[in-house]
Amino acid sequence: MPLDPSAIGREGPVHERSWSSKDALLYAVGVGAGLGNPAQELPFTTENSHGVEQQVLPTFGVLLAQAPGPGIGDFDRTMLVHAEQAIRLHRVLPVEGTLRAQARVQSMEGKRSGALVTSSSTATDADGTPLITTRSSIFIRGEQVESGAPAAADDWTQPDREPDWEVTLATRPEQALLYRLNGDRNPLHSDPAFAARAGFERPILHGLCTYGITGRALLMSAMGGDPGQFRAMSGRFSSPVLPGDELTVRIWRQDGGPEGALLFRTLRGDGTVVIDRGRAEVGAPE
């Protein structure tokens, strides 16, 4: 069957997940922490450095909040791309812990060349205290669905001035092979034959790896390296990244926006925008 619009509003099962210090360290290395300067991000890449207390990269919360969703119909998985991702933290992520997460299908929207399916996930501590809220959209090329009310227009506009921060970060040629150890074993990121069937010259980097690298840039610049100042982040994936590409994150304080509001874009070395319409919030999670 094609996409099933009756899935809108449906929730998946409550999913319990535990993580350890090792999981947080593996995620940090998977999104490039320590690359080029192993001493620069020790709070996120080590647990036993003298005078350094281990901390968790805030975007790790996207993985922690993942939960199995309800079925949305049948489609060709090679036609699926990650379109948008948002995270909001309600507390600083602990080094280890257990949470319960539940996913919900928010909407299905027909586009000219496919369908956009948006889901949310809410994660709480074992005692029910909110920890993480995420929103994720996938775009499925070639699928069609009857749309309801169109999504509200996004008024994102790049400021007409130089960015307040600009951070350039490298990726490894084997970055996708490292990142997949966090649980995303989609062969699009490792199998050349599968990537070719999807229309790519070689396996591409996970969108959430690019997202995590961008989150590091935001954290280390506009947020002073303090996870306690990382409240929220969202962005739209606009072009693929190949492992080994250099990424530049351009960050602006939002003119006329709320205190702590940021706008950002992530670009490949050739200037192609790979995460567009980026927004972030500086401040204590709430």
Side-chain angles (χ1 to χ4, degrees):
M1 59 180 282
L3 290 178
D4 178 13
S6 70
I8 298 172
R10 196 177 296 161
E11 294 181 329
V14 175
H15 177 70
E16 184 170 286
R17 176 168 184 166
S18 297
W19 71 98
S20 67
S21 164
K22 180 181 176 180
D23 297 320
L25 296 172
L26 182 60
Y27 174 80
V29 173
V31 297
L35 176 59
N37 185 352
Q40 188 173 26
E41 296 172 88
L42 287 177
F44 305 104
T45 57
T46 64
E47 78 293 349
N48 59 357
S49 293
H50 179 70
V52 177
E53 182 177 355
Q54 185 183 351
Q55 299 181 73
V56 180
L57 287 175
T59 51
F60 183 44
V62 173
L63 303 191
L64 295 179
Q66 289 178 342
I72 60 171
D74 292 330
F75 54 90
D76 183 352
R77 296 278 168 176
T78 66
M79 304 301 281
L80 181 155
V81 294
H82 199 156
E84 301 176 4
Q85 182 65 52
I87 182 171
R88 180 169 295 276
L89 297 182
H90 306 291
R91 288 172 49 199
V92 175
L93 298 177
V95 169
E96 58 184 23
T98 298
L99 56 72
R100 294 186 177 95
Q102 187 172 33
R104 179 178 185 272
V105 179
Q106 296 286 109
S107 65
M108 293 185 182
E109 187 177 351
K111 300 290 186 179
R112 183 175 59 182
S113 59
L116 186 71
V117 181
T118 299
S119 300
S120 63
S121 181
T122 301
T124 64
D125 284 346
D127 62 1
T129 303
L131 183 61
I132 308 161
T133 301
T134 64
R135 186 185 72 256
S136 180
S137 296
I138 57 173
F139 184 74
I140 309 168
R141 290 174 288 169
E143 292 292 328
Q144 288 298 319
V145 64
E146 289 292 331
S147 295
D154 187 350
D155 61 355
W156 195 100
T157 302
Q158 178 176 305
D160 186 21
R161 56 183 173 82
E162 289 300 304
D164 295 289
W165 298 271
E166 184 167 301
V167 182
T168 297
L169 296 171
T171 68
R172 303 173 184 271
E174 70 276 17
Q175 196 77 57
L177 300 181
L178 284 171
Y179 185 83
R180 72 191 297 269
L181 301 179
N182 290 288
D184 186 343
R185 303 298 178 91
N186 185 339
L188 178 62
H189 310 293
S190 56
D191 180 355
F194 188 95
R197 290 201 303 274
F200 297 104
E201 61 181 83
R202 58 187 174 93
I204 64 173
L205 196 60
H206 304 70
L208 286 183
C209 185
T210 301
Y211 189 84
I213 293 168
T214 300
R216 284 176 49 227
L218 289 163
L219 179 68
M220 297 305 172
S221 57
M223 299 166 187
D226 180 5
Q229 290 298 304
F230 189 112
R231 181 179 295 167
M233 172 184 170
S234 65
R236 178 179 300 176
F237 300 105
S238 53
S239 189
V241 173
L242 294 175
D245 282 346
E246 187 176 75
L247 298 175
T248 295
V249 185
R250 309 187 81 204
I251 308 162
W252 296 264
R253 295 185 179 92
Q254 184 177 349
D255 297 329
E259 183 178 358
L262 304 174
L263 303 175
F264 70 86
R265 268 182 166 157
T266 304
L267 301 86
R268 291 200 308 252
D270 63 3
T272 300
V273 178
V274 297
I275 297 184
D276 201 6
R277 299 181 178 274
R279 298 180 185 272
E281 296 178 25
V282 180
E286 59 181 18

